[in-house]
């Protein structure tokens, strides 16, 4: 569905893509849990024929997120990986793709273990370095696939500069905006061509749904994604669509608190004698702090910090109480993880080392609990180190 209303961001979180249900007046878009739709007569229907192709709950979510990302249309998929697969379906055998080197491990696995079998070629580069990006783009390139901030060391790519560079080389620009959410960063406004999310994370925000979405702004991309979504069929279910739609209503509010708590936890850790280094774009010590201030409207709830060794990380992680030891991120509750053995275990050790993912590195998805409770939990766990 087409995005609507040039209202403010928080207003669009709550209203974009939605209207009271015409049959009952229900203020909340119903869960249209149906596989098919009765047609009035042969060749006459209400725009809905079969639920893989069209579903009103999914369409409401797609229009909502398209509006939040300042795009034209959204396409919701069964997971973030399915959304990335949809974007990759725009490529053809022989195409070259330049990718942020510190990309999500699952994206790397899809590119290297699946898509490379179909004749696609991927070059991984530190896209925070425009000189390295320019060098990689010297080879004819169909797509630039960016993630910023990256997981877990929070490296940033200058989206406006990288998009301009890619466009000069004839490549389209895709941004995985999962870590920031459109509340903090809107790549399409910085001239990216496509933006995608694992809705599993901040968009849903409540750790109770797995999903993905792609937002497009060009006619050809929109046409292809609509065709592909129906042709490949990895759609988001009506119930999951409803959950994410419920989640985005509070996105502005949640992200504001993630920003506050993220900065407070980062500052607490930075001042702790047992913490060697903190990776958070909101700290002046972050090498790209100025870019973060320019490109993002808040620094979010993701950070990582260095405890020096696997043994220190183990002692710390076995002691946390309020913070749950778990993969994933972006929920209202704080989650803590050990990238080297959890989220990035599938990344080869030498590659992990090159990306700065040491055995002593710990990642936190800072939730929106009371900050004093979070720092108290960190304090008692750091006592064990
Ligand atoms: C940045 C990023 N992109 C994509 C994905 C994949 O999303 P999903 O787990 O919903 O398939 C993840 C999952 O952690 C992620 O962190």
């Amino acid at each position: 569905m087409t995005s609507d209303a040039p209202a403010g961001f928080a207003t669009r979180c709550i209203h974009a893509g939605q209207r009271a249900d015409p049959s009952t007046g229900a203020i909340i878009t119903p869960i249209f849990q149906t596989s098919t739709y009765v047609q009035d007569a042969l060749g006459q229907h209400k725009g809905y024929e079969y639920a893989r192709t069209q579903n009103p709950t999914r369409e409401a979510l797609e229009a909502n997120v398209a509006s939040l990302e300042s795009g034209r249309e959204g396409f919701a998929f069964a997971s973030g990986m399915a959304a990335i697969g949809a974007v990759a379906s725009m490529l053809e055998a022989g195409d070259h793709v330049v990718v942020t080197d510190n990309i999500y491990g699952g994206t790397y696995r899809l590119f290297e273990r699946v898509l490379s079998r179909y004749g696609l070629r991927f070059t991984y580069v530190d896209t925070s370095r425009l000189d390295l990006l320019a060098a990689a783009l010297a080879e004819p390139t169909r797509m630039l696939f960016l993630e910023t901030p990256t997981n877990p060391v929070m490296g940033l790519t200058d989206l406006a500069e990288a998009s301009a560079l890619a466009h000069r080389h004839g490549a389209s620009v895709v941004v995985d905006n999962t870590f920031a959410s459109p509340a903090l960063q809107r790549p399409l406004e910085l001239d990216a061509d496509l933006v995608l999310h694992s809705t599993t994370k901040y968009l849903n925000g409540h750790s109770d749904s797995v999903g993905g979405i792609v937002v497009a702004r060009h006619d050809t991309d929109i046409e292809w994604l609509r065709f592909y979504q129906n042709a490949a069929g990895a759609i988001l279910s009506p119930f999951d669509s409803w959950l994410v739609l419920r989640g985005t209503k509070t996105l502005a509010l949640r992200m504001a608190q993630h920003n506050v708590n993220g900065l407070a936890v980062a500052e607490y850790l930075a001042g702790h004698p047992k913490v060697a280094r903190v990776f958070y774009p909101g700290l002046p010590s972050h090498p790209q702090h100025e870019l973060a201030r320019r490109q993002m409207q808040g620094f979010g709830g993701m950070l990582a910090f260095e405890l020096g060794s696997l043994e220190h990380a183990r002692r710390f992680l076995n002691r946390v109480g309020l913070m749950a030891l778990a993969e994933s991120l972006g929920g209202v509750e704080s989650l803590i993880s050990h990238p080297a053995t959890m989220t990035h275990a599938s990344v080869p050790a030498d590659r992990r080392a090159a990306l700065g993912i040491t055995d002593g590195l710990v990642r936190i998805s800072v939730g929106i609990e009371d900050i004093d409770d979070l720092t108290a939990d960190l304090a008692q766990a750091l006592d064990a180190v």
Side-chain angles (χ1 to χ4, degrees):
M1 283 178 73
T2 309
S3 62
D4 49 6
F9 187 81
T11 305
R12 285 183 286 132
C13 283
I14 296 163
H15 296 287
Q18 296 152 85
R19 63 192 172 102
D21 177 49
S23 60
T24 62
I27 193 163
I28 296 301
T29 303
I31 304 168
F32 284 90
Q33 191 68 39
T34 187
S35 62
T36 192
Y37 308 87
V38 177
Q39 308 199 3
D40 297 332
L42 202 59
Q44 279 179 37
H45 54 75
K46 298 180 171 62
Y48 296 93
E49 295 149 283
Y50 185 60
R52 170 163 33 80
T53 323
Q54 310 106 343
N55 180 282
T57 320
R58 194 177 79 222
E59 287 172 357
L61 172 67
E62 290 170 339
N64 179 258
V65 178
S67 170
L68 300 184
E69 282 289 4
S70 302
R72 282 182 44 219
E73 299 213 22
F75 301 90
F77 294 92
S79 68
M81 290 317 305
I84 294 169
V87 163
S89 76
M90 296 168 156
L91 300 164
E92 289 169 15
D95 280 348
H96 176 234
V97 184
V98 173
V99 187
T100 302
D101 59 354
N102 198 6
I103 200 90
Y104 169 61
T107 308
Y108 177 76
R109 181 174 54 199
L110 177 71
F111 289 174
E112 286 305 298
R113 308 260 318 262
V114 182
L115 299 178
S116 62
R117 298 172 65 222
Y118 297 90
L120 298 172
R121 292 169 305 116
F122 299 93
T123 299
Y124 301 88
V125 15
D126 177 357
T127 50
S128 71
R129 295 260 315 268
L130 291 170
D131 55 333
L132 299 181
L133 176 58
L137 289 168
E139 180 180 346
T141 302
R142 179 86 187 274
M143 184 182 279
L144 171 63
F145 193 105
L146 298 171
E147 203 177 299
T148 177
T150 60
N151 174 23
V153 292
M154 308 302 290
L156 304 187
T157 294
D158 187 324
L159 289 172
E161 292 285 348
S163 296
L165 197 54
H167 288 155
R168 278 204 294 281
H169 286 82
S172 65
V173 179
V174 180
V175 180
D176 182 336
N177 202 26
T178 300
F179 261 48
S181 93
L184 306 188
Q185 173 175 281
R186 286 177 295 282
L188 300 184
E189 292 178 6
L190 301 171
D191 218 19
D193 300 290
L194 291 158
V195 63
L196 67 89
H197 286 269
S198 164
T199 60
T200 316
K201 312 298 177 343
Y202 285 107
L203 291 186
N204 179 56
H206 293 76
S207 307
D208 53 11
S209 160
V210 171
I213 197 161
V214 183
V215 175
R217 66 187 178 101
H218 304 300
D219 286 344
T220 46
D221 293 344
I222 289 167
E223 267 166 44
W224 175 258
L225 287 165
R226 184 178 297 119
F227 170 78
Y228 174 86
Q229 187 187 41
N230 183 52
I235 47 162
L236 192 64
S237 76
F239 183 51
D240 285 293
S241 298
W242 185 85
L243 283 172
V244 182
L245 201 50
R246 177 172 153 133
T248 58
K249 283 189 189 292
T250 55
L251 182 68
L253 200 55
R254 283 187 285 110
M255 293 314 296
Q257 195 59 40
H258 283 297
N259 290 339
V260 171
N261 283 7
L263 184 60
V265 167
E267 284 173 345
Y268 172 80
L269 290 170
H272 197 286
K274 290 183 178 168
V275 175
R277 188 166 170 201
V278 180
F279 301 83
Y280 183 68
L283 291 180
S285 60
H286 189 284
Q288 295 164 295
H289 180 59
E290 281 314 311
L291 172 60
R293 290 173 71 96
R294 204 165 63 238
Q295 179 163 282
M296 302 174 74
Q297 287 94 55
F299 308 111
M302 296 304 301
L303 59 85
F305 62 102
E306 180 57 54
L307 283 178
S309 70
L310 179 60
E311 190 45 35
H312 285 178
R314 190 194 313 279
R315 278 192 237 148
F316 172 82
L317 289 166
N318 287 343
R319 183 71 89 83
V320 284
L322 178 60
M323 297 198 176
L325 179 61
E327 300 207 2
S328 202
L329 61 111
V332 289
E333 60 288 287
S334 294
L335 301 179
I336 197 156
S337 64
H338 184 244
T341 58
M342 294 170 73
T343 49
H344 289 66
S346 65
V347 178
D350 55 339
R351 208 177 132 73
R352 276 205 306 271
L355 297 171
I357 304 169
T358 62
D359 286 351
L361 195 72
V362 172
R363 182 187 89 177
I364 309 181
S365 169
V366 182
I368 60 171
E369 298 95 338
D370 285 298
I371 189 63
D372 290 346
D373 294 329
L374 294 176
T375 50
D377 193 30
L378 291 171
Q380 64 81 26
L382 283 164
D383 283 346
V385 173

